């Protein structure tokens, strides 16, 4: 089915669904009405589903008429605590909550692809699992779905994220690391407070915290191979109580980003050493708390090759482009850790329709005409999976 035929048959449904989800955004783990609407649409299509993941996740199944392997397609459902400023007629009806990252597009395009694949069941080999995933923005949804069996019997996975920096009509696809791991850390520093006029009687937590911020930067500049991009950011420092008191306590909070799985363990170990030794130098104590939020998103070579071929067939021979790796994180990485997978960044940017704002902006828009490309790509990847 070419794009024109798909638009004629499924275009109105796609836009109707996208605008409904956009107008009714819900935050991570609370996607109750969103989940209810997805289930109702699947019931209308006669597609079987079961609850899977937190309270709102859904795993639907389309069984092809011919035998074959199983592929999982993912669409995340949660919105952000952002006030919408687009002025669109279908803008968010929930104050302070907005689909500012395009997840409304993911739900609607995956639903439309489900409808298309259901119509093509007689030609479909194997099984397609459709993961309508909650809580991507807090990196809890994918893990919960996996714990609830979403990947049982699955041989490969594929996801799409709409992307404002990619022009409409193009799709960014390449093997290897595409998005970064995102970890969070906090450091609690214990010094010895006292009068500001007598610092020699104290252990100044402000001095320790300042030194620690500088010393932590040497991990990236002096311990990590220059060709392996990494970021360590201290984003918050809380220290001291008043102007004439030497600070007794300090707290630092921040994030690390990296693309190699090798750094997954090493980053925490390196930070632990720097934190402990810096505190000891100043006669203080410090404790590092390190939380791994999402893994690096690394496209499998074979799945990427299959997906590029599908994009060239479904969207156009010149549709696939390569862009630089992105330091934002994506919890689809948890699916890809377990089975071979790939994620595509679908172009939805364009000046003519005002789609010039970045993800997470209150003015974020997408080129709706480009959304059919996601539907076609989901469908083509699923159809080609057993032919690869």
């Amino acid at each position: 089915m070419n794009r024109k035929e798909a638009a004629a048959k499924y275009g109105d449904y796609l836009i109707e669904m996208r605008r409904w989800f956009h107008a009714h955004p819900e935050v991570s783990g609370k996607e109750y009405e969103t989940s209810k609407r997805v289930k109702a649409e699947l019931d209308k299509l006669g597609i079987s589903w079961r609850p899977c993941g937190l309270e709102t996740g859904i795993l639907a199944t389309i069984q092809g008429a011919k035998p074959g392997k199983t592929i999982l397609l993912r669409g995340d459902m949660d919105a952000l605590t952002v006030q919408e400023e687009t002025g669109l007629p279908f803008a968010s009806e929930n104050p302070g909550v907005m689909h500012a990252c395009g997840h409304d597009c993911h739900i609607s395009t995956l639903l439309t692809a489900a409808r298309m694949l259901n119509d093509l069941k007689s030609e479909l080999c194997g099984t397609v699992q459709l993961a309508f995933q909650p809580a991507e923005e807090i990196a809890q949804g994918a893990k919960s779905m996996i714990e609830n069996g979403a990947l049982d019997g699955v041989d490969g996975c594929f996801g799409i994220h709409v992307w404002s920096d990619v022009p409409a009509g193009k799709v960014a696809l390449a093997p290897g690391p595409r998005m970064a791991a995102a970890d969070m850390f906090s450091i609690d520093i214990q010094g010895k407070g006292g009068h500001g006029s007598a610092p020699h009687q104290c252990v100044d937590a402000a001095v320790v915290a300042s030194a620690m911020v500088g010393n932590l930067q040497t991990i990236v500049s002096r311990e990590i191979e220059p060709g392996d991009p990494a970021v360590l950011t201290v984003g918050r420092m809380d220290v001291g109580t008043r102007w004439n008191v030497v600070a007794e306590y300090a707290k630092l909070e921040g994030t690390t980003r990296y693309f190699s799985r090798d750094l997954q363990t090493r980053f925490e170990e390196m930070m632990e050493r720097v934190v402990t030794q810096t505190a000891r130098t100043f006669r203080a104590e410090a404790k590092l708390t390190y939380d791994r939020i999402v893994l690096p998103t690394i496209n499998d070579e074979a799945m990427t090759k299959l997906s590029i071929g599908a994009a060239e067939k479904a969207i156009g021979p010149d549709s696939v482009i390569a862009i630089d790796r992105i330091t934002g994180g994506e919890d689809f990485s948890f699916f890809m850790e377990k089975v071979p997978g790939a994620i595509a960044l679908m172009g939805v940017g364009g000046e003519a329709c005002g789609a010039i704002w970045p993800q997470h902006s209150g003015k974020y828009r997408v080129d709706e005409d480009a959304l059919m490309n996601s539907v076609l790509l989901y469908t083509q990847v699923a159809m080609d999976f057993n032919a690869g």
Side-chain angles (χ1 to χ4, degrees), residues 9-10 41-48 61-65 110-124 128 130 379 382-383:
K9 188 169 183 179
Y10 303 105
E41 294 302 317
L42 293 170
D43 286 342
K44 288 178 190 176
L45 297 170
I47 296 174
S48 64
T61 302
I62 298 174
Q63 183 65 57
L110 188 58
L111 261 180
T112 308
R115 186 175 171 184
M116 187 181 293
L117 285 164
N118 204 42
D119 289 345
L120 295 170
K121 276 194 300 188
S122 62
E123 303 172 36
L124 179 65
V128 180
L130 306 158
T379 303
M383 297 295 290

PDB file of all heavy atoms in Angstrom, residues 9-10 41-48 61-65 110-124 128 130 379 382-383:
ATOM      1  N   LYS A   9      -7.322   5.806   3.118  1.00  0.00           N
ATOM      2  CA  LYS A   9      -8.033   4.804   3.915  1.00  0.00           C
ATOM      3  C   LYS A   9      -7.931   5.060   5.413  1.00  0.00           C
ATOM      4  O   LYS A   9      -8.890   4.826   6.162  1.00  0.00           O
ATOM      5  CB  LYS A   9      -7.484   3.415   3.591  1.00  0.00           C
ATOM      6  CG  LYS A   9      -8.293   2.282   4.229  1.00  0.00           C
ATOM      7  CD  LYS A   9      -7.881   0.933   3.673  1.00  0.00           C
ATOM      8  CE  LYS A   9      -8.755  -0.180   4.270  1.00  0.00           C
ATOM      9  NZ  LYS A   9      -8.382  -1.513   3.725  1.00  0.00           N
ATOM     10  N   TYR A  10      -6.761   5.535   5.871  1.00  0.00           N
ATOM     11  CA  TYR A  10      -6.519   5.621   7.309  1.00  0.00           C
ATOM     12  C   TYR A  10      -6.226   7.039   7.819  1.00  0.00           C
ATOM     13  O   TYR A  10      -6.116   7.241   9.027  1.00  0.00           O
ATOM     14  CB  TYR A  10      -5.325   4.734   7.685  1.00  0.00           C
ATOM     15  CG  TYR A  10      -5.483   3.288   7.298  1.00  0.00           C
ATOM     16  CD1 TYR A  10      -4.788   2.760   6.205  1.00  0.00           C
ATOM     17  CD2 TYR A  10      -6.320   2.440   8.010  1.00  0.00           C
ATOM     18  CE1 TYR A  10      -4.914   1.422   5.845  1.00  0.00           C
ATOM     19  CE2 TYR A  10      -6.455   1.103   7.661  1.00  0.00           C
ATOM     20  CZ  TYR A  10      -5.759   0.605   6.579  1.00  0.00           C
ATOM     21  OH  TYR A  10      -5.896  -0.722   6.228  1.00  0.00           O
ATOM     22  N   GLU A  41     -10.478   1.304  21.262  1.00  0.00           N
ATOM     23  CA  GLU A  41     -10.175   1.253  19.822  1.00  0.00           C
ATOM     24  C   GLU A  41      -9.727  -0.149  19.420  1.00  0.00           C
ATOM     25  O   GLU A  41     -10.111  -0.643  18.344  1.00  0.00           O
ATOM     26  CB  GLU A  41      -9.095   2.281  19.481  1.00  0.00           C
ATOM     27  CG  GLU A  41      -9.510   3.726  19.654  1.00  0.00           C
ATOM     28  CD  GLU A  41     -10.725   4.097  18.814  1.00  0.00           C
ATOM     29  OE1 GLU A  41     -10.781   3.676  17.627  1.00  0.00           O
ATOM     30  OE2 GLU A  41     -11.616   4.791  19.328  1.00  0.00           O
ATOM     31  N   LEU A  42      -8.931  -0.802  20.242  1.00  0.00           N
ATOM     32  CA  LEU A  42      -8.512  -2.170  19.943  1.00  0.00           C
ATOM     33  C   LEU A  42      -9.712  -3.115  19.921  1.00  0.00           C
ATOM     34  O   LEU A  42      -9.801  -4.006  19.064  1.00  0.00           O
ATOM     35  CB  LEU A  42      -7.483  -2.644  20.966  1.00  0.00           C
ATOM     36  CG  LEU A  42      -6.116  -1.940  20.931  1.00  0.00           C
ATOM     37  CD1 LEU A  42      -5.289  -2.328  22.152  1.00  0.00           C
ATOM     38  CD2 LEU A  42      -5.357  -2.259  19.640  1.00  0.00           C
ATOM     39  N   ASP A  43     -10.647  -2.908  20.845  1.00  0.00           N
ATOM     40  CA  ASP A  43     -11.866  -3.730  20.864  1.00  0.00           C
ATOM     41  C   ASP A  43     -12.669  -3.539  19.577  1.00  0.00           C
ATOM     42  O   ASP A  43     -13.196  -4.512  19.014  1.00  0.00           O
ATOM     43  CB  ASP A  43     -12.727  -3.378  22.078  1.00  0.00           C
ATOM     44  CG  ASP A  43     -12.165  -3.901  23.389  1.00  0.00           C
ATOM     45  OD1 ASP A  43     -11.315  -4.820  23.341  1.00  0.00           O
ATOM     46  OD2 ASP A  43     -12.558  -3.388  24.453  1.00  0.00           O
ATOM     47  N   LYS A  44     -12.767  -2.303  19.106  1.00  0.00           N
ATOM     48  CA  LYS A  44     -13.491  -2.037  17.850  1.00  0.00           C
ATOM     49  C   LYS A  44     -12.850  -2.780  16.681  1.00  0.00           C
ATOM     50  O   LYS A  44     -13.543  -3.225  15.759  1.00  0.00           O
ATOM     51  CB  LYS A  44     -13.481  -0.533  17.552  1.00  0.00           C
ATOM     52  CG  LYS A  44     -14.365   0.307  18.442  1.00  0.00           C
ATOM     53  CD  LYS A  44     -14.217   1.779  18.058  1.00  0.00           C
ATOM     54  CE  LYS A  44     -14.894   2.696  19.055  1.00  0.00           C
ATOM     55  NZ  LYS A  44     -14.660   4.132  18.728  1.00  0.00           N
ATOM     56  N   LEU A  45     -11.534  -2.886  16.723  1.00  0.00           N
ATOM     57  CA  LEU A  45     -10.812  -3.545  15.640  1.00  0.00           C
ATOM     58  C   LEU A  45     -10.781  -5.068  15.798  1.00  0.00           C
ATOM     59  O   LEU A  45     -10.310  -5.773  14.896  1.00  0.00           O
ATOM     60  CB  LEU A  45      -9.377  -3.016  15.576  1.00  0.00           C
ATOM     61  CG  LEU A  45      -9.213  -1.520  15.250  1.00  0.00           C
ATOM     62  CD1 LEU A  45      -7.772  -1.083  15.458  1.00  0.00           C
ATOM     63  CD2 LEU A  45      -9.661  -1.231  13.823  1.00  0.00           C
ATOM     64  N   GLY A  46     -11.243  -5.543  16.937  1.00  0.00           N
ATOM     65  CA  GLY A  46     -11.203  -6.984  17.184  1.00  0.00           C
ATOM     66  C   GLY A  46      -9.805  -7.492  17.459  1.00  0.00           C
ATOM     67  O   GLY A  46      -9.506  -8.679  17.235  1.00  0.00           O
ATOM     68  N   ILE A  47      -8.925  -6.622  17.980  1.00  0.00           N
ATOM     69  CA  ILE A  47      -7.551  -7.002  18.288  1.00  0.00           C
ATOM     70  C   ILE A  47      -7.466  -7.342  19.775  1.00  0.00           C
ATOM     71  O   ILE A  47      -7.865  -6.544  20.630  1.00  0.00           O
ATOM     72  CB  ILE A  47      -6.577  -5.860  17.949  1.00  0.00           C
ATOM     73  CG1 ILE A  47      -6.590  -5.589  16.431  1.00  0.00           C
ATOM     74  CG2 ILE A  47      -5.157  -6.192  18.413  1.00  0.00           C
ATOM     75  CD1 ILE A  47      -5.766  -4.385  16.015  1.00  0.00           C
ATOM     76  N   SER A  48      -6.956  -8.507  20.086  1.00  0.00           N
ATOM     77  CA  SER A  48      -6.868  -8.937  21.485  1.00  0.00           C
ATOM     78  C   SER A  48      -5.779  -8.161  22.213  1.00  0.00           C
ATOM     79  O   SER A  48      -4.769  -7.784  21.617  1.00  0.00           O
ATOM     80  CB  SER A  48      -6.601 -10.434  21.574  1.00  0.00           C
ATOM     81  OG  SER A  48      -5.346 -10.749  21.007  1.00  0.00           O
ATOM     82  N   THR A  61      -2.021  -8.024  20.509  1.00  0.00           N
ATOM     83  CA  THR A  61      -1.425  -9.065  19.667  1.00  0.00           C
ATOM     84  C   THR A  61      -2.186  -9.189  18.355  1.00  0.00           C
ATOM     85  O   THR A  61      -3.417  -9.289  18.353  1.00  0.00           O
ATOM     86  CB  THR A  61      -1.440 -10.431  20.384  1.00  0.00           C
ATOM     87  OG1 THR A  61      -0.739 -10.315  21.624  1.00  0.00           O
ATOM     88  CG2 THR A  61      -0.771 -11.499  19.534  1.00  0.00           C
ATOM     89  N   ILE A  62      -1.435  -9.177  17.270  1.00  0.00           N
ATOM     90  CA  ILE A  62      -1.990  -9.472  15.942  1.00  0.00           C
ATOM     91  C   ILE A  62      -1.267 -10.708  15.425  1.00  0.00           C
ATOM     92  O   ILE A  62      -0.039 -10.706  15.271  1.00  0.00           O
ATOM     93  CB  ILE A  62      -1.808  -8.295  14.970  1.00  0.00           C
ATOM     94  CG1 ILE A  62      -2.562  -7.057  15.492  1.00  0.00           C
ATOM     95  CG2 ILE A  62      -2.296  -8.663  13.570  1.00  0.00           C
ATOM     96  CD1 ILE A  62      -2.320  -5.808  14.666  1.00  0.00           C
ATOM     97  N   GLN A  63      -2.021 -11.751  15.167  1.00  0.00           N
ATOM     98  CA  GLN A  63      -1.457 -13.015  14.697  1.00  0.00           C
ATOM     99  C   GLN A  63      -1.604 -13.114  13.190  1.00  0.00           C
ATOM    100  O   GLN A  63      -2.712 -13.072  12.662  1.00  0.00           O
ATOM    101  CB  GLN A  63      -2.168 -14.194  15.363  1.00  0.00           C
ATOM    102  CG  GLN A  63      -1.601 -15.549  14.995  1.00  0.00           C
ATOM    103  CD  GLN A  63      -0.168 -15.725  15.487  1.00  0.00           C
ATOM    104  OE1 GLN A  63       0.106 -15.606  16.670  1.00  0.00           O
ATOM    105  NE2 GLN A  63       0.745 -15.995  14.556  1.00  0.00           N
ATOM    106  N   GLY A  64      -0.476 -13.217  12.502  1.00  0.00           N
ATOM    107  CA  GLY A  64      -0.527 -13.345  11.049  1.00  0.00           C
ATOM    108  C   GLY A  64      -1.054 -14.702  10.620  1.00  0.00           C
ATOM    109  O   GLY A  64      -1.055 -15.663  11.395  1.00  0.00           O
ATOM    110  N   ALA A  65      -1.484 -14.767   9.369  1.00  0.00           N
ATOM    111  CA  ALA A  65      -2.031 -16.019   8.844  1.00  0.00           C
ATOM    112  C   ALA A  65      -0.942 -17.047   8.565  1.00  0.00           C
ATOM    113  O   ALA A  65      -1.233 -18.244   8.437  1.00  0.00           O
ATOM    114  CB  ALA A  65      -2.820 -15.742   7.566  1.00  0.00           C
ATOM    115  N   LEU A 110       0.702   4.189  16.239  1.00  0.00           N
ATOM    116  CA  LEU A 110       0.722   2.752  16.514  1.00  0.00           C
ATOM    117  C   LEU A 110      -0.682   2.156  16.427  1.00  0.00           C
ATOM    118  O   LEU A 110      -0.852   1.044  15.916  1.00  0.00           O
ATOM    119  CB  LEU A 110       1.334   2.475  17.889  1.00  0.00           C
ATOM    120  CG  LEU A 110       1.590   0.996  18.218  1.00  0.00           C
ATOM    121  CD1 LEU A 110       2.507   0.343  17.187  1.00  0.00           C
ATOM    122  CD2 LEU A 110       2.178   0.834  19.620  1.00  0.00           C
ATOM    123  N   LEU A 111      -1.683   2.900  16.880  1.00  0.00           N
ATOM    124  CA  LEU A 111      -3.073   2.432  16.738  1.00  0.00           C
ATOM    125  C   LEU A 111      -3.455   2.303  15.270  1.00  0.00           C
ATOM    126  O   LEU A 111      -4.110   1.326  14.866  1.00  0.00           O
ATOM    127  CB  LEU A 111      -4.030   3.410  17.419  1.00  0.00           C
ATOM    128  CG  LEU A 111      -4.540   3.085  18.810  1.00  0.00           C
ATOM    129  CD1 LEU A 111      -5.484   4.186  19.287  1.00  0.00           C
ATOM    130  CD2 LEU A 111      -5.253   1.730  18.844  1.00  0.00           C
ATOM    131  N   THR A 112      -3.053   3.281  14.478  1.00  0.00           N
ATOM    132  CA  THR A 112      -3.377   3.242  13.045  1.00  0.00           C
ATOM    133  C   THR A 112      -2.619   2.110  12.357  1.00  0.00           C
ATOM    134  O   THR A 112      -3.163   1.419  11.481  1.00  0.00           O
ATOM    135  CB  THR A 112      -3.063   4.590  12.387  1.00  0.00           C
ATOM    136  OG1 THR A 112      -3.693   5.642  13.130  1.00  0.00           O
ATOM    137  CG2 THR A 112      -3.576   4.624  10.950  1.00  0.00           C
ATOM    138  N   ALA A 113      -1.368   1.889  12.761  1.00  0.00           N
ATOM    139  CA  ALA A 113      -0.615   0.754  12.222  1.00  0.00           C
ATOM    140  C   ALA A 113      -1.267  -0.564  12.619  1.00  0.00           C
ATOM    141  O   ALA A 113      -1.288  -1.518  11.826  1.00  0.00           O
ATOM    142  CB  ALA A 113       0.827   0.803  12.718  1.00  0.00           C
ATOM    143  N   ALA A 114      -1.803  -0.624  13.837  1.00  0.00           N
ATOM    144  CA  ALA A 114      -2.516  -1.833  14.264  1.00  0.00           C
ATOM    145  C   ALA A 114      -3.708  -2.095  13.351  1.00  0.00           C
ATOM    146  O   ALA A 114      -3.970  -3.244  12.959  1.00  0.00           O
ATOM    147  CB  ALA A 114      -2.986  -1.675  15.709  1.00  0.00           C
ATOM    148  N   ARG A 115      -4.421  -1.033  13.024  1.00  0.00           N
ATOM    149  CA  ARG A 115      -5.569  -1.170  12.119  1.00  0.00           C
ATOM    150  C   ARG A 115      -5.116  -1.661  10.740  1.00  0.00           C
ATOM    151  O   ARG A 115      -5.747  -2.553  10.142  1.00  0.00           O
ATOM    152  CB  ARG A 115      -6.272   0.183  11.996  1.00  0.00           C
ATOM    153  CG  ARG A 115      -7.555   0.160  11.199  1.00  0.00           C
ATOM    154  CD  ARG A 115      -8.242   1.512  11.248  1.00  0.00           C
ATOM    155  NE  ARG A 115      -9.363   1.563  10.323  1.00  0.00           N
ATOM    156  CZ  ARG A 115     -10.097   2.640  10.092  1.00  0.00           C
ATOM    157  NH1 ARG A 115      -9.851   3.754  10.767  1.00  0.00           N
ATOM    158  NH2 ARG A 115     -11.085   2.614   9.218  1.00  0.00           N
ATOM    159  N   MET A 116      -4.028  -1.098  10.243  1.00  0.00           N
ATOM    160  CA  MET A 116      -3.522  -1.492   8.925  1.00  0.00           C
ATOM    161  C   MET A 116      -3.025  -2.938   8.943  1.00  0.00           C
ATOM    162  O   MET A 116      -3.330  -3.729   8.039  1.00  0.00           O
ATOM    163  CB  MET A 116      -2.405  -0.541   8.493  1.00  0.00           C
ATOM    164  CG  MET A 116      -1.918  -0.766   7.070  1.00  0.00           C
ATOM    165  SD  MET A 116      -0.561   0.365   6.594  1.00  0.00           S
ATOM    166  CE  MET A 116      -1.410   1.942   6.601  1.00  0.00           C
ATOM    167  N   LEU A 117      -2.271  -3.305   9.971  1.00  0.00           N
ATOM    168  CA  LEU A 117      -1.756  -4.675  10.066  1.00  0.00           C
ATOM    169  C   LEU A 117      -2.888  -5.678  10.238  1.00  0.00           C
ATOM    170  O   LEU A 117      -2.818  -6.791   9.705  1.00  0.00           O
ATOM    171  CB  LEU A 117      -0.776  -4.779  11.242  1.00  0.00           C
ATOM    172  CG  LEU A 117       0.609  -4.165  11.011  1.00  0.00           C
ATOM    173  CD1 LEU A 117       1.334  -3.969  12.336  1.00  0.00           C
ATOM    174  CD2 LEU A 117       1.429  -5.031  10.058  1.00  0.00           C
ATOM    175  N   ASN A 118      -3.908  -5.288  10.946  1.00  0.00           N
ATOM    176  CA  ASN A 118      -5.065  -6.166  11.116  1.00  0.00           C
ATOM    177  C   ASN A 118      -5.738  -6.436   9.775  1.00  0.00           C
ATOM    178  O   ASN A 118      -6.205  -7.545   9.505  1.00  0.00           O
ATOM    179  CB  ASN A 118      -6.049  -5.534  12.095  1.00  0.00           C
ATOM    180  CG  ASN A 118      -6.939  -6.551  12.776  1.00  0.00           C
ATOM    181  OD1 ASN A 118      -6.481  -7.618  13.184  1.00  0.00           O
ATOM    182  ND2 ASN A 118      -8.214  -6.235  12.902  1.00  0.00           N
ATOM    183  N   ASP A 119      -5.766  -5.406   8.923  1.00  0.00           N
ATOM    184  CA  ASP A 119      -6.332  -5.573   7.578  1.00  0.00           C
ATOM    185  C   ASP A 119      -5.445  -6.440   6.692  1.00  0.00           C
ATOM    186  O   ASP A 119      -5.919  -7.006   5.689  1.00  0.00           O
ATOM    187  CB  ASP A 119      -6.516  -4.207   6.910  1.00  0.00           C
ATOM    188  CG  ASP A 119      -7.642  -3.389   7.538  1.00  0.00           C
ATOM    189  OD1 ASP A 119      -8.462  -3.971   8.285  1.00  0.00           O
ATOM    190  OD2 ASP A 119      -7.684  -2.167   7.306  1.00  0.00           O
ATOM    191  N   LEU A 120      -4.162  -6.519   7.045  1.00  0.00           N
ATOM    192  CA  LEU A 120      -3.198  -7.268   6.220  1.00  0.00           C
ATOM    193  C   LEU A 120      -2.843  -8.626   6.820  1.00  0.00           C
ATOM    194  O   LEU A 120      -1.861  -9.242   6.430  1.00  0.00           O
ATOM    195  CB  LEU A 120      -1.920  -6.444   6.054  1.00  0.00           C
ATOM    196  CG  LEU A 120      -2.040  -5.121   5.284  1.00  0.00           C
ATOM    197  CD1 LEU A 120      -0.753  -4.308   5.431  1.00  0.00           C
ATOM    198  CD2 LEU A 120      -2.356  -5.370   3.816  1.00  0.00           C
ATOM    199  N   LYS A 121      -3.650  -9.097   7.769  1.00  0.00           N
ATOM    200  CA  LYS A 121      -3.316 -10.339   8.473  1.00  0.00           C
ATOM    201  C   LYS A 121      -3.103 -11.525   7.536  1.00  0.00           C
ATOM    202  O   LYS A 121      -2.285 -12.398   7.807  1.00  0.00           O
ATOM    203  CB  LYS A 121      -4.425 -10.687   9.472  1.00  0.00           C
ATOM    204  CG  LYS A 121      -4.310 -10.006  10.805  1.00  0.00           C
ATOM    205  CD  LYS A 121      -5.217 -10.617  11.848  1.00  0.00           C
ATOM    206  CE  LYS A 121      -6.685 -10.537  11.463  1.00  0.00           C
ATOM    207  NZ  LYS A 121      -7.562 -10.979  12.580  1.00  0.00           N
ATOM    208  N   SER A 122      -3.827 -11.562   6.448  1.00  0.00           N
ATOM    209  CA  SER A 122      -3.701 -12.694   5.526  1.00  0.00           C
ATOM    210  C   SER A 122      -2.327 -12.733   4.862  1.00  0.00           C
ATOM    211  O   SER A 122      -1.879 -13.785   4.411  1.00  0.00           O
ATOM    212  CB  SER A 122      -4.794 -12.629   4.457  1.00  0.00           C
ATOM    213  OG  SER A 122      -4.661 -11.446   3.683  1.00  0.00           O
ATOM    214  N   GLU A 123      -1.644 -11.588   4.806  1.00  0.00           N
ATOM    215  CA  GLU A 123      -0.311 -11.516   4.201  1.00  0.00           C
ATOM    216  C   GLU A 123       0.799 -11.533   5.255  1.00  0.00           C
ATOM    217  O   GLU A 123       1.987 -11.654   4.914  1.00  0.00           O
ATOM    218  CB  GLU A 123      -0.177 -10.241   3.373  1.00  0.00           C
ATOM    219  CG  GLU A 123      -1.219 -10.081   2.278  1.00  0.00           C
ATOM    220  CD  GLU A 123      -1.146  -8.714   1.630  1.00  0.00           C
ATOM    221  OE1 GLU A 123      -0.008  -8.187   1.473  1.00  0.00           O
ATOM    222  OE2 GLU A 123      -2.199  -8.151   1.298  1.00  0.00           O
ATOM    223  N   LEU A 124       0.429 -11.403   6.516  1.00  0.00           N
ATOM    224  CA  LEU A 124       1.403 -11.244   7.587  1.00  0.00           C
ATOM    225  C   LEU A 124       1.954 -12.587   8.056  1.00  0.00           C
ATOM    226  O   LEU A 124       1.198 -13.513   8.347  1.00  0.00           O
ATOM    227  CB  LEU A 124       0.746 -10.517   8.767  1.00  0.00           C
ATOM    228  CG  LEU A 124       1.599 -10.272  10.017  1.00  0.00           C
ATOM    229  CD1 LEU A 124       2.757  -9.332   9.701  1.00  0.00           C
ATOM    230  CD2 LEU A 124       0.732  -9.708  11.140  1.00  0.00           C
ATOM    231  N   VAL A 128       2.718  -9.958  15.660  1.00  0.00           N
ATOM    232  CA  VAL A 128       3.087  -8.593  16.016  1.00  0.00           C
ATOM    233  C   VAL A 128       2.509  -8.276  17.389  1.00  0.00           C
ATOM    234  O   VAL A 128       1.303  -8.400  17.607  1.00  0.00           O
ATOM    235  CB  VAL A 128       2.561  -7.564  14.990  1.00  0.00           C
ATOM    236  CG1 VAL A 128       2.983  -6.155  15.406  1.00  0.00           C
ATOM    237  CG2 VAL A 128       3.077  -7.882  13.587  1.00  0.00           C
ATOM    238  N   LEU A 130       1.980  -5.288  20.121  1.00  0.00           N
ATOM    239  CA  LEU A 130       1.890  -3.836  20.145  1.00  0.00           C
ATOM    240  C   LEU A 130       1.943  -3.381  21.599  1.00  0.00           C
ATOM    241  O   LEU A 130       1.022  -3.647  22.372  1.00  0.00           O
ATOM    242  CB  LEU A 130       0.589  -3.374  19.484  1.00  0.00           C
ATOM    243  CG  LEU A 130       0.353  -3.909  18.056  1.00  0.00           C
ATOM    244  CD1 LEU A 130      -1.103  -3.873  17.701  1.00  0.00           C
ATOM    245  CD2 LEU A 130       1.174  -3.105  17.066  1.00  0.00           C
ATOM    246  N   THR A 379       4.309  -0.524   9.952  1.00  0.00           N
ATOM    247  CA  THR A 379       3.680  -1.613   9.225  1.00  0.00           C
ATOM    248  C   THR A 379       4.701  -2.361   8.364  1.00  0.00           C
ATOM    249  O   THR A 379       4.736  -3.608   8.359  1.00  0.00           O
ATOM    250  CB  THR A 379       2.534  -1.093   8.344  1.00  0.00           C
ATOM    251  OG1 THR A 379       1.584  -0.402   9.179  1.00  0.00           O
ATOM    252  CG2 THR A 379       1.829  -2.213   7.617  1.00  0.00           C
ATOM    253  N   ALA A 382       7.103  -4.513  10.389  1.00  0.00           N
ATOM    254  CA  ALA A 382       6.449  -5.727  10.849  1.00  0.00           C
ATOM    255  C   ALA A 382       6.282  -6.737   9.727  1.00  0.00           C
ATOM    256  O   ALA A 382       6.474  -7.945   9.913  1.00  0.00           O
ATOM    257  CB  ALA A 382       5.078  -5.394  11.456  1.00  0.00           C
ATOM    258  N   MET A 383       5.930  -6.252   8.537  1.00  0.00           N
ATOM    259  CA  MET A 383       5.735  -7.143   7.401  1.00  0.00           C
ATOM    260  C   MET A 383       7.069  -7.733   6.917  1.00  0.00           C
ATOM    261  O   MET A 383       7.125  -8.896   6.498  1.00  0.00           O
ATOM    262  CB  MET A 383       5.086  -6.388   6.245  1.00  0.00           C
ATOM    263  CG  MET A 383       3.683  -5.849   6.535  1.00  0.00           C
ATOM    264  SD  MET A 383       2.438  -7.138   6.825  1.00  0.00           S
ATOM    265  CE  MET A 383       2.259  -7.837   5.192  1.00  0.00           C
TER     266      MET A 383
END
